[in-house]
Amino acid sequence: MAGPQSQVNKSHKSRFASKGSRHVHHTSLQVKNKIAKPERCVSKGSRKDRIHMKKMVRDQKRAAVLKEKRASSGSLSPPRVIVLFGLSASVNPNALARDILMMLSADDSEPTSTTVASSLYKIRTTVLVAPHGDLLSCMEMAKVADLIAFVASGSYLGDGVSSSNHIDSFGRQCLSVFRAMGLPSTVVFVRDLPMDLKKKHDLKKLCVSSLASEFPEDCKFFPADTKDELHKFMWLFKEQRLSVPHWRSHRPYLWAQEVDLVADDGEPGKCSLLMSGYVRAHNFSVNQLVHVSGVGDFQLCKIDILKDPFPINERKDKNAMDADDVQGLQIVQSLLPDPSKQEPLIMENVPDPLSGEQTWPTEEEMADADSINKRKLLKKKTVPRGTSDYQAAWIVEDSDGEHSGTDEDETDGMVLDDEEDHQDMDHSDIDDDQVSISFSTKEYDEETEPGAAMSDEEHLTKEQIEAEIQKIKDAHAEDEEFPDEVDTPVDVPARKRFARYRGLKSFRTSTWDPKESLPPEYARIFAFNNFMRTQKHVLSKLSDIDNGSINECVAVGSYVRLHIKQVPVDAASKLLELSKSLPLVACGLLQHESKMSVLHFGIKKHDSYDNPIKAKEELLFHVGFRQFIARPVFSSDNINSDKHKMEKFLHPGRFSVASVYGPISFPPLPLIALKIRQGEVPSIAAIGSLRKADPDRIILKRIILTGYPQRVSKLKAAVRFMFHNPEDVRWFKPVDVWTKCGRRGRVKEPVGTHGAMKCIFNGILQQHDTVCMSLYKRVYPRWPEQRFPLGP
């Protein structure tokens, strides 16, 4: 019989269980029934179902990539646009363009067109050469480019020249502009390499190391001296998946390969502009509005679908080609707009002066109005002489007249004094010296000696006061840190000179009604209740256009002729001349994008522009494919406030917000601001991007009135030269004052007859300190006299 054995129990399994399963026995039966597995586990099901689901996702992604590849490189896709840009003036990209076109043509003949359909590579390609030195042409070509090929010369490196000279100043300027617009796929062609293989490899490696920092990481370098090297590039280019800027994929556009005009007999001075080219990015609807670069927004009267002039698979003999050249391209189909679906061409709102309430008031309403008027007469607001209705509207009356001049009457507006102060002000012409010179506290009277302090100032002339103010300004010039400081005029009362300004208790938290006292231009613009929601709704309609019927929409890759109606003849004639040097683009507009509103751009001054850019200065804005003239007002971007401080100039090295009157656009869109002067070459002034359209954005211009302590006694001081008469002191009394050394205070009362005032601060005031008062008014952009550079 075996001996005794020790008992061994199984280990506890709670360390492998979840916290919820260990405490299930503590829950009630109703709660136990609700405990179940997560829904994600139920939806996935068994392992076999999960494997099948993952396979379906992979197949969908593979089909989407294959569809995109066929759409971009198939026989029905539009020709790929290659833009050759020379990095320096010594590089000759025209020879390279001729070599590429000859290689793509079947018989290696001299190219007669910039677009070639290659049966060997099964691809259609358009080769453009950006003219070195012409900034506008380079920008327009970069907007339509599918591939930007930068051309560099290897001879610089072979001669021992520094790699910094590989790109000249114009090349660097264009590179920065291309980056701001968004670079498509890029490559670099290296020309003028030696025939020796070892030297050729070394120079190419040196060129890559010197230029790689200027281009994206995926940019590849190709030697481009021989036909075999170009042949290798073309096979890679055919299979390459090209990337385009994100903003170009939101709107259909057409690069016009042919431009013509037809006079309109019905309207003199108007014509129909004909633009022929391939539809790109999205299907083009005949009911859409189009924007012609530099001219404006228009409606379409017809779209002709033409026979493709550059087919890949079709073979034509020479006689058939000549017949097409004589008779023109064959029209396959014509699309006409539907008046019930066509987007209306609305640019500005036309306000109706009689659109207000026109109903006759009832007897009850008239009785209520009489009672309200009687109450207003009983409690009439007392305002000083010369007060406008605008000032009286936001003047806040004191709630308690007994506490006038204390902390309780500090409000956001310039609050008037109570009845006693108005009585004193009414008799200021007679006994202002006796009334104002008496101080409220005996201790302050004895320490400051106001009568002795003001005795010398009472007899100063206007020229002497201005000379003393200038002397103090010069003495504080080195400590000048506040660019908003202004001088109070001596001959004009400050309450009249700064009548449109008001004080704010707090710039961040004080309220400012965005609908208050709007300019007349705001009656001509449009606004959204919710801009982001509207943008999402408008962009969702792109899929409806892509899936639209063939009687309304033209598919991507079709060769069409747009009939744009009611174009000014002068603008169309200028377009015909410009089409010889730069590409012209007709861009399809989304819903609401023809209407005017207030646009806000994040903007930064360009490094190559040295002149100052002043607010409301006329600039030419390139926003995506659109061009319009604007006069922006600059402001800071305060994240934690609904109010933003105006900037008089666009400061270099940091971003600001530029607000302009312009046609509504939906971001993302790049911004290139040009400064154009008569007789000068256009220069890049600033770059940025569109943020949103919002007329309710509050931009405040701040001015700072400064005064200087004359007598200081601890927390009290007599301040002079901020104002020049006691009425101004009483008018601006509710506005808080502050000093450059960090003290804050308030105005107690005027002193004397020359605008001196007594102030109380929250700390001991230094004699060399400067007392400041901040005033604000809302500013708006200026309406441009001419909206488009070529149009009206």
Side-chain angles (χ1 to χ4, degrees), residues 191-204:
R191 302 271 287 182
D192 305 329
L193 293 175
M195 299 301 295
D196 185 58
L197 293 179
K198 187 176 184 306
K199 290 183 179 180
K200 183 176 183 178
H201 178 72
D202 293 341
L203 284 180
K204 180 189 172 184

Side-chain angles (χ1 to χ4, degrees), residues 111 143 189 243 255 349 364 397 484 533 557 591 594 787:
K143 290 179 183 180
F189 287 137
S243 62
W255 165 51
N349 183 27
E364 297 180 356
E397 293 183 327
D484 301 322
R533 183 176 60 192
Q591 189 181 9
S594 65
R787 290 183 54 187

Side-chain angles (χ1 to χ4, degrees), residues 135 169-170 172-174 176-177 604-611 652 673 682-687:
L135 181 61
S169 59
F170 180 78
R172 293 187 182 278
Q173 183 185 28
C174 287
S176 63
V177 173
K604 181 182 179 182
K605 188 176 181 181
H606 198 261
D607 298 335
S608 63
Y609 194 77
D610 299 329
N611 297 330
S683 54
I684 300 293
I687 58 176

Side-chain angles (χ1 to χ4, degrees), residues 716-737:
K716 307 179 184 68
V719 180
R720 60 177 180 172
F721 297 146
M722 182 177 290
F723 305 107
H724 302 296
N725 56 73
E727 287 80 7
D728 289 342
V729 177
R730 294 188 183 96
W731 179 265
F732 292 96
K733 177 182 176 182
V735 184
D736 291 344
V737 294

